Amino acid sequence: KNEVEQSPQNLTAQEGEFITINCSYSVGISALHWLQQHPGGGIVSLFMLSSGKKKHGRLIATINIQEKHSSLHITASHPRDSAVYICAARGAVDKLIFGTGTRLQVFP
Amino acid sequence: NAGVTQTPKFQVLKTGQSMTLQCAQDMNHNSMYWYRQDPGMGLRLIYYSASEGTTDKGEVPNGYNVSRLNKREFSLRLESAAPSQTSVYFCASSEYPETSGYNEQFFGPGTRLTVL
């Protein structure tokens, strides 16, 4: 069993739909990262959170430390949101354990 | 600022050949990382450097060596390439230990390596 698991692996949506991507982890963490990998391969960080909820534009990330679970939500999805979304658990030192990613395709 | 740069972008090697992947960052970050990304698997840490002159093995270090030449540059060397090393390699850097309380890793554009 992977230490960081994401679901679903693949997700398709119509433009405007509300998207949820889930991440569960089995290790102790100091923080949970969400990253986006563009179709061209580039990776950018979206959020780092250790408790509660963070919002940036149409993206919302939440974490429940007791349940070892985090979610990434996209409101009013758009085709430009099509990408692979990756969660990563950060342990006590600065090393990340990555999930395998969720491939999202949003159609017009 | 260029952020994190990597060279080359693409490379094809024959089994047994050697090569060095170069990485540089201009954000004055302390920590630098090398990852590999394979289909169906998450990014996996190969080597890590917390500061100039220090390196530490990650999850999959076998077959690789690294050099933290200075604060800016962190290179990854394959001494004798094998087909199992066909992958996409990403370099990243971060401020860790961070002063801002927010530790983001900044990634380079990646190197697609094929070993025949």
Side-chain angles (χ1 to χ4, degrees):
Chain A
K1 192 177 186 321
N2 292 335
E3 293 172 297
V4 177
E5 294 202 336
Q6 289 183 237
S7 63
Q9 286 188 314
N10 295 286
L11 186 55
T12 58
Q14 289 295 125
E15 183 173 355
E17 285 186 6
F18 181 85
I19 304 292
T20 295
I21 299 170
N22 296 299
C23 176
S24 297
Y25 53 92
S26 58
V27 294
I29 67 166
S30 60
L32 193 289
H33 293 248
W34 282 101
L35 306 103
Q36 181 192 54
Q37 186 166 25
H38 300 294
I43 299 173
V44 295
S45 290
L46 298 174
F47 294 104
M48 186 195 82
L49 64 167
S50 53
S51 64
K53 175 179 170 177
K54 286 193 176 179
K55 185 174 189 290
H56 185 255
R58 295 181 295 105
L59 300 178
I60 303 166
T62 63
I63 189 167
N64 184 319
I65 299 292
Q66 287 75 22
E67 294 186 5
K68 295 190 173 180
H69 182 268
S70 177
S71 294
L72 177 68
H73 306 286
I74 304 174
T75 61
S77 59
H78 190 276
R80 65 174 175 267
D81 297 325
S82 298
V84 176
Y85 292 85
I86 302 168
C87 75
R90 177 184 174 192
V93 293
D94 191 39
K95 294 181 183 176
L96 297 180
I97 303 170
F98 294 84
T100 55
T102 294
R103 184 175 299 276
L104 171 65
Q105 289 185 293
V106 182
F107 295 99
Chain B
N1 287 349
V4 180
T5 56
Q6 289 183 236
T7 56
K9 285 193 167 59
F10 301 94
Q11 184 72 49
V12 179
L13 294 177
K14 294 181 180 177
T15 297
Q17 288 185 316
S18 62
M19 78 161 296
T20 300
L21 281 65
Q22 306 286 354
C23 174
Q25 52 90 11
D26 61 1
M27 295 171 281
N28 201 36
H29 283 167
N30 297 312
S31 297
M32 297 186 73
Y33 319 79
W34 276 106
Y35 297 100
R36 61 178 289 172
Q37 186 178 41
D38 301 295
M41 305 186 76
L43 287 151
R44 291 182 293 169
L45 182 66
I46 304 171
Y47 268 96
Y48 162 67
S49 171
S51 62
E52 180 181 347
T54 68
T55 61
D56 194 11
K57 292 179 181 178
E59 186 185 350
V60 287
N62 291 345
Y64 306 95
N65 286 303
V66 289
S67 295
R68 183 74 182 268
L69 305 168
N70 48 54
K71 195 170 186 180
R72 286 189 67 246
E73 297 171 291
F74 188 37
S75 61
L76 178 72
R77 182 159 178 85
L78 287 71
E79 290 291 352
S80 178
S84 61
Q85 294 178 305
T86 293
S87 188
V88 181
Y89 291 85
F90 287 94
C91 177
S93 71
S94 76
E95 192 186 342
Y96 184 86
E98 68 271 21
T99 56
S100 64
Y102 181 85
N103 183 42
E104 177 181 355
Q105 289 198 12
F106 294 81
F107 287 80
T111 295
R112 189 172 294 274
L113 175 68
T114 302
V115 183
L116 302 175

